[in-house]
Amino acid sequence: MIVVGLLVLAPLAAVVGSTLFDLARRRSLRRMALRNIVRRPVEALLVVVGASLGTAIITSAFVVGDTLDTSIRNLGRTDYGPIDEVVETDDVGRLDEVAAAVRADLPDRVDGTLPLVWAPAAVVAGDADAGTGTETTDGSPTGPRAEPDARVLEVDFEDARAFGRDPAATGLADAGATPTGDEAVLAEALAEDLDVTVGDTVEVFAYGERHALTVRDVLPRVGLAGYGSLFVAPGTIEAMAAGGTGTPPNGELLVSNDGGVFDGAAHTDEVVAGLEAALADAGLARGQVVEPVKQDLLDTAREDSAEIRDLFSMLGIFSSLVGVLLLVNLFVMLAEERKSELGMLRAVGMKRNHLVRLFGLEGGLYALVAAGLGALAGVGVGRVLILAVEGIFADEEGDLSELVFDARPSSLLTGALIGLAISLLTVWGTSTRIARLNVIRAIRDLPEPTARRTSVVKLLLASLGVVLGGCMTATGIGGNAAVPTLVGPAVAFGSAVPLLSLLLPRRGVAAAAGAASGLWALVAVAAVPDVFDEAGMEMFVAQGVVLVGAGVALVSQADRAWAWLADRLADRGGLASRLAMAYPLARRVRTGILLAMFSLVIFTMTFMSALGDANLQQVPAMARDASGGWDMWVDSSPTNPLTAADVADDEDVAATATLVHGAADMSIRAADDPDGEGTEPEPWPLSGFDTSWLAAGVPKLSERLDEFPDDRAALEAIAADPSLAVASDTLLAGDGPPGADTVELGDEVVVTDPASGRERTFTLVAFVDVDWNYNGLMAARPAVEELLGPDAVESRMYVDVVPGADAEAVAHRLNAAGVAHGADATTFVAAVEEEMQELRSILRLMQGYLGLGLVIGIAGLGVVMVRAVRERRRQIGVLRAMGFSAKVVRRAFLAEAGFVAVQGIALGIGLGLLVSYQMLNSDVFGDPLPFTMPWPAVAVLLVVPGGAAMLATLAPAAQAAAIRPAAALRIAE
């Protein structure tokens, strides 16, 4: 990485240094560069706009990352406030003892502790006996409103305000005295969900008890008012739990570190060690768990924001490459137009390096302005992206449904510098090619000869490229690196073209190199699958760039076929078509750049459409595989769970089965290292089942040990053996990408109950296909009940409806009837559909983001056509003088734009479908899926970009048709 960085930074530093030197010391170059900008303001504007769009795309990725980082960090203020660590105790009766032990040996860097008691409960506003109602046409509820999983807290308000030495951060600064009697203080979020205000009555259901409370106050979501949902009088939870069933109340000791809401987290490691030592010294190590909640949240903020920023940055590469190609085209065309002027400058004594620096200085000024404008535009693009993300997650219950927009100056500066670097390197790279003109031909405005002798330097560079490509390929395969494995052969094949052209026709050699590069990009995944096991988004970017480059190389060599077609059309009276193809075929490099501008973006958008459609088509099959024959699952409050009797009154319920559902700390110990320490323990769902869960069928298993003949046999063995378990192969991986398995069959999972400290080891003998409802690790019910003790509650129920019944309607009725139990029924079809629609929405968001690159491509085509009118002014004048009508000229320009756009769109769609077909049918990135043609997306991608390209060409086509022969043929303008 250091070598690559130096290879990029060294030429960039040289370019920046030379530009600044010329701007400050080379008066003649500075005057000529500024004169060219002033003389051609429209051209200057076009170049700046093209460069700024690429910078805007890059900057917007940083803005999105900043917003997510700030939004997640903001949860530290809204959901924790001064809380940095939490000491969880297994017995609420020992909470005072735990608090006394910690305070007696208070660790350094701690400025306060606060004990509290809490319990999960269902909270209802309205008549709970009426069941939850439907919604009216305006969305307002017609029955009681319920929150099935509210967090009910008991805490002393005076002590809470002193906690952390900042009353405002606790959220209780103006909350008054601790609630008494039947008073309740609600957090703002719960009050909004229940649509209640001060003076209203709410009912709390827990432990089989029903308790009516009057809302005394509503607190904004800050600190403790975000940590809990509803505050009640001390003793309320204990009174409800006495004699009831369900998971017992929870006791916690909150700890605040020195410093503010965010600064205090810097002392987390030191404080956690001190708290654990204090508990151990007091003989309380067992049954108490210290959780660094604030630091975990901030770590998540950094990781998640970095992942999102990297994702959008990777996607932005496609659009940024389009901007680079636009800059190359503009400067090449600019040089063609100024060819005579540049020849004159060389004739009067200007050196070649001065000519390069003149163009470099002019381009550097464009790039500098574009970097500033692009960074500002990136803020707007990022804002649009954030609004789209909020729209996708608007119906989610997660804390990030409302994001805090943030665009940090450092990110804007970074985006501007990256855009400036790309523009400068592009401009100077193009300028070096421009300066290699023949003075005589340039002065006379004669075309360059088609046959050029290959220089020794070019042959040496080509040989070096072949060696470099081979080394990249070998290194990539040997080191399991996807990008060099994909790119290396393309570099080698492309570099071999000048060498092989000494012996073979160049056209055939170039076509063969393109075909070989594209073929390798397609077969590499199957040829060396181990290389791509850990591949990420960067592999897709590399594959797309290689395929598009290979496709453009092949299409560019097919000019004879297009010329033949143009001749046939001309024979039938289509002179406009012959004219339309003549110019693109004569400028193959320029045409190839335009093709790549369209193809890069269309390729990616097509791939995402195919991927989204393929997943949506599999919703019924996915739901069937995950459900095991059940229609829905119903979660209920662990302090007041549903029973089979509670749902028996519904005539459409055919059968039920309950699971013991909870959570525990889990660590994975690899099968090939049984004596190893295992992974760091992480909290994860834990479920216990028996054979009643298998009565309706069995969920699909993706893998199982060979000793089990089928999926049912494996699950029945797990239900009977307390040492076996089944889980997803992404156990403890969170929302990782498909195929990112973290465990193997035979691995051991060490499960610890954080409340009691009890520990048990399970061996994984099977993997479920997809864990849609987060059962987590599933084991025999007796083993889970023994491990979790009183926390093992039947809070999850599977329900099968009678044939022909509407499962969604049954789920709604169960929610209504079970409102006091916090019932939350979800059909498997609805759950899978929701996940797939969310995936599709994210893919569409990415397509919209990539659409900015398509805007650049369409604008680039329009710009090129504007420049083409200026460049071909005299040619148009000659044609008009020969009798070609204005209508023919206008049609020729429109047909030329269509010829280029349709080729690029067709190439992008074809490659996108090909890659999506390959990926969906491959098991490298997960289970194969049937490929389905995304006809609506293909139709849109054919019509919209093509139509937009034609609209962008209308103005230059009309301008060309309006050229008068006499004016165009004048020697001086």
Side-chain angles (χ1 to χ4, degrees):
M1 292 299 294
I2 296 176
V3 174
V4 174
L6 290 176
L7 290 176
V8 175
L9 292 177
L12 179 60
V15 165
V16 173
S18 179
T19 302
L20 293 176
F21 177 81
D22 291 339
L23 187 63
R25 305 288 295 179
R26 294 284 185 177
R27 183 180 178 187
S28 58
L29 295 180
R30 182 176 69 244
R31 290 184 61 185
M32 282 189 286
L34 293 173
R35 182 190 63 185
N36 287 331
I37 295 174
V38 173
R39 283 176 55 197
R40 298 174 175 85
V42 176
E43 296 167 1
L45 179 62
L46 293 175
V47 176
V48 168
V49 170
S52 62
L53 285 175
T55 303
I57 292 169
I58 296 169
T59 306
S60 64
F62 286 96
V63 172
V64 171
D66 289 347
T67 297
L68 291 175
D69 179 63
T70 299
S71 300
I72 299 175
R73 284 177 58 85
N74 187 57
L75 297 179
R77 179 185 66 85
T78 59
D79 290 12
Y80 292 107
I83 306 171
D84 289 295
E85 295 85 25
V86 174
V87 181
E88 301 172 353
T89 180
D90 63 338
D91 182 2
V92 69
R94 304 179 68 186
L95 181 59
D96 291 340
E97 183 183 356
V98 170
V102 170
R103 290 167 179 167
D105 191 11
L106 197 65
D108 294 336
R109 302 294 189 178
V110 171
D111 63 8
T113 61
L114 179 68
L116 63 77
V117 176
W118 73 274
V123 182
V124 181
D127 185 5
D129 296 326
T132 54
T134 58
E135 292 185 347
T136 62
T137 54
D138 63 356
S140 59
T142 61
R145 286 82 60 197
E147 171 52 54
D149 192 23
R151 190 179 174 99
V152 181
L153 273 70
E154 293 179 4
V155 65
D156 185 279
F157 278 24
E158 287 298 325
D159 291 343
R161 277 188 283 268
F163 177 60
R165 303 178 186 178
D166 183 2
T170 66
L172 303 180
D174 301 319
T178 305
T180 59
D182 293 334
E183 292 180 339
V185 175
L186 269 64
E188 187 177 44
L190 179 60
E192 290 177 353
D193 290 341
L194 300 180
D195 192 24
V196 297
T197 186
V198 175
D200 291 341
T201 299
V202 297
E203 290 184 299
V204 177
F205 294 85
Y207 304 107
E209 297 290 326
R210 178 174 183 171
H211 199 79
L213 301 171
T214 301
V215 179
R216 192 192 76 188
D217 200 358
V218 175
L219 305 178
R221 180 180 170 182
V222 176
L224 293 171
Y227 189 68
S229 306
L230 184 147
F231 296 88
V232 296
T236 302
I237 296 176
E238 181 181 359
M240 295 183 71
T245 60
T247 182
N250 301 274
E252 293 182 348
L253 180 68
L254 310 183
V255 180
S256 176
N257 299 347
D258 289 338
V261 170
F262 299 108
D263 297 338
H267 311 302
T268 296
D269 292 342
E270 180 182 349
V271 172
V272 168
L275 291 172
E276 291 176 343
L279 293 172
D281 292 342
L284 296 172
R286 187 176 182 85
Q288 277 61 243
V289 179
V290 181
E291 296 288 350
V293 292
K294 183 75 68 61
Q295 187 59 55
D296 288 347
L297 180 74
L298 298 181
D299 290 342
T300 300
R302 282 190 291 269
E303 293 170 3
D304 290 354
S305 60
E307 288 179 3
I308 297 295
R309 181 171 57 247
D310 292 345
L311 173 63
F312 279 98
S313 297
M314 285 293 177
L315 289 174
I317 288 177
F318 288 101
S319 299
S320 300
L321 284 175
V322 174
V324 169
L325 294 174
L326 175 59
L327 284 177
V328 172
N329 239 349
L330 287 173
F331 271 84
V332 170
M333 295 186 73
L334 201 61
E336 289 289 340
E337 183 192 343
R338 299 184 192 173
K339 192 173 183 179
S340 297
E341 175 186 337
L342 297 176
M344 291 290 187
L345 290 173
R346 290 282 286 119
V348 297
M350 177 174 279
K351 296 180 180 179
R352 179 173 292 174
N353 74 314
H354 288 170
L355 199 62
V356 173
R357 290 160 70 174
L358 171 61
F359 257 84
L361 180 58
E362 181 179 346
L365 294 174
Y366 292 144
L368 184 62
V369 176
L373 293 177
L376 295 177
V379 177
V381 175
R383 182 60 176 167
V384 172
L385 290 174
I386 291 302
L387 291 175
V389 171
E390 285 185 332
I392 292 174
F393 297 109
D395 296 329
E396 297 290 318
E397 296 182 358
D399 294 322
L400 291 180
S401 57
E402 294 183 6
L403 300 177
V404 181
F405 183 76
D406 187 20
R408 299 170 186 168
S410 59
S411 294
L412 301 185
L413 180 61
T414 301
L417 290 176
I418 293 175
L420 178 63
I422 292 174
S423 298
L424 285 176
L425 291 175
T426 303
V427 165
W428 277 76
T430 308
S431 300
T432 55
R433 179 183 180 277
I434 290 170
R436 297 172 56 199
L437 53 81
N438 183 282
V439 176
I440 303 301
R441 292 195 190 97
I443 293 174
R444 295 181 179 180
D445 198 16
L446 297 175
E448 295 294 324
T450 55
R452 294 182 180 178
R453 205 178 81 184
T454 304
S455 67
V456 175
V457 174
K458 182 177 290 187
L459 292 176
L460 289 175
L461 291 176
S463 301
L464 181 61
V466 172
V467 174
L468 177 62
C471 292
M472 289 177 64
T473 306
T475 303
I477 295 176
N480 288 340
V483 173
T485 301
L486 285 170
V487 176
V491 173
F493 293 143
S495 300
V497 171
L499 300 174
L500 296 177
S501 297
L502 298 175
L503 305 173
L504 300 170
R506 184 180 182 87
R507 187 187 303 273
V509 171
S517 299
L519 183 62
W520 172 252
L522 289 173
V523 305
V525 175
V528 283
D530 292 343
V531 174
F532 300 94
D533 280 347
E534 303 296 330
M537 190 69 186
E538 69 280 356
M539 182 277 270
F540 171 64
V541 173
Q543 187 181 36
V545 172
V546 171
L547 281 173
V548 169
V552 170
L554 281 172
V555 171
S556 298
Q557 305 307 316
D559 51 357
R560 291 181 179 177
W562 294 117
W564 177 86
L565 178 61
D567 290 339
R568 300 289 80 74
L569 294 174
D571 291 341
R572 298 183 181 181
L575 284 175
S577 62
R578 186 69 183 92
L579 290 173
M581 293 187 186
Y583 189 75
L585 296 179
R587 299 288 194 277
R588 283 189 297 172
V589 174
R590 191 181 303 177
T591 304
I593 291 175
L594 286 173
L595 289 178
M597 290 169 65
F598 276 88
S599 300
L600 277 170
V601 179
I602 296 295
F603 161 79
T604 315
M605 298 178 80
T606 303
F607 172 81
M608 290 183 174
S609 297
L611 190 64
D613 279 18
N615 279 280
L616 280 177
Q617 294 294 328
Q618 298 305 305
V619 166
M622 289 179 178
R624 183 173 59 253
D625 292 342
S627 66
W630 300 98
D631 289 297
M632 71 187 75
W633 78 90
V634 187
D635 287 329
S636 55
S637 172
T639 59
N640 199 29
L642 275 173
T643 64
D646 295 323
V647 300
D649 292 337
D650 195 302
E651 60 182 10
D652 287 334
V653 173
T656 61
T658 56
L659 266 64
V660 175
H661 190 59
D665 292 336
M666 301 186 191
S667 174
I668 299 171
R669 192 160 55 205
D672 56 3
D673 186 19
D675 297 326
E677 294 183 0
T679 62
E680 192 70 23
E682 294 184 44
W684 205 257
L686 175 65
S687 300
F689 70 96
D690 53 30
T691 53
S692 66
W693 183 57
L694 307 176
V698 294
K700 180 183 177 182
L701 301 180
S702 59
E703 286 185 82
R704 63 177 185 273
L705 291 181
D706 295 338
E707 64 189 75
F708 303 113
D710 55 34
D711 291 353
R712 175 174 288 277
L715 291 171
E716 287 178 345
I718 295 170
D721 190 335
S723 67
L724 306 181
V726 59
S728 167
D729 60 4
T730 57
L731 181 71
L732 306 188
D735 298 324
D741 51 319
T742 59
V743 289
E744 301 287 344
L745 291 179
D747 286 353
E748 294 182 339
V749 183
V750 180
V751 183
T752 306
D753 176 29
S756 64
R758 287 186 292 267
E759 185 178 290
R760 199 177 191 107
T761 300
F762 297 94
T763 300
L764 288 168
V765 296
F767 292 138
V768 294
D769 194 29
V770 182
D771 188 12
W772 289 107
N773 55 346
Y774 300 102
N775 282 323
L777 185 74
M778 302 189 71
R781 178 167 178 157
V784 175
E785 289 177 334
E786 181 183 345
L787 179 67
L788 296 182
D791 288 328
V793 180
E794 294 179 337
S795 58
R796 173 159 289 181
M797 178 184 297
Y798 279 68
V799 176
D800 187 26
V801 303
V802 299
D806 185 345
E808 288 293 340
V810 174
H812 181 78
R813 293 200 299 271
L814 292 180
N815 287 337
V819 63
H821 300 276
D824 184 11
T826 308
T827 66
F828 281 94
V829 171
V832 177
E833 280 182 346
E834 183 179 352
E835 289 287 338
M836 292 299 102
Q837 289 293 348
E838 186 175 302
L839 171 63
R840 195 175 195 183
S841 298
I842 293 173
L843 291 175
R844 285 178 175 172
L845 170 63
M846 294 178 179
Q847 287 176 314
Y849 183 65
L850 287 164
L852 295 172
L854 193 58
V855 170
I856 299 176
I858 293 169
L861 180 60
V863 169
V864 169
M865 297 308 294
V866 170
R867 303 293 308 127
V869 172
R870 191 182 191 96
E871 182 181 338
R872 293 148 60 185
R873 182 180 180 86
R874 292 185 181 179
Q875 298 173 17
I876 296 170
V878 170
L879 292 174
R880 295 282 285 114
M882 291 171 60
F884 283 78
S885 65
K887 182 179 180 180
V888 171
V889 173
R890 181 169 55 252
R891 288 172 57 189
F893 268 82
L894 290 173
E896 181 179 328
F899 171 68
V900 174
V902 169
Q903 278 192 90
I905 293 170
L907 182 62
I909 290 177
L911 292 174
L913 293 175
L914 187 61
V915 172
S916 60
Y917 176 84
Q918 177 204 34
M919 181 170 290
L920 290 170
N921 284 276
S922 170
D923 60 357
V924 174
F925 302 102
D927 292 335
L929 292 177
F931 172 81
T932 56
M933 178 66 75
W935 289 113
V938 169
V940 170
L941 291 174
L942 279 172
V943 174
V944 175
M950 300 303 290
L951 289 175
T953 315
L954 283 176
Q959 183 185 4
I963 292 177
R964 296 184 178 182
L969 294 174
R970 287 186 309 188
I971 297 196
E973 297 184 8

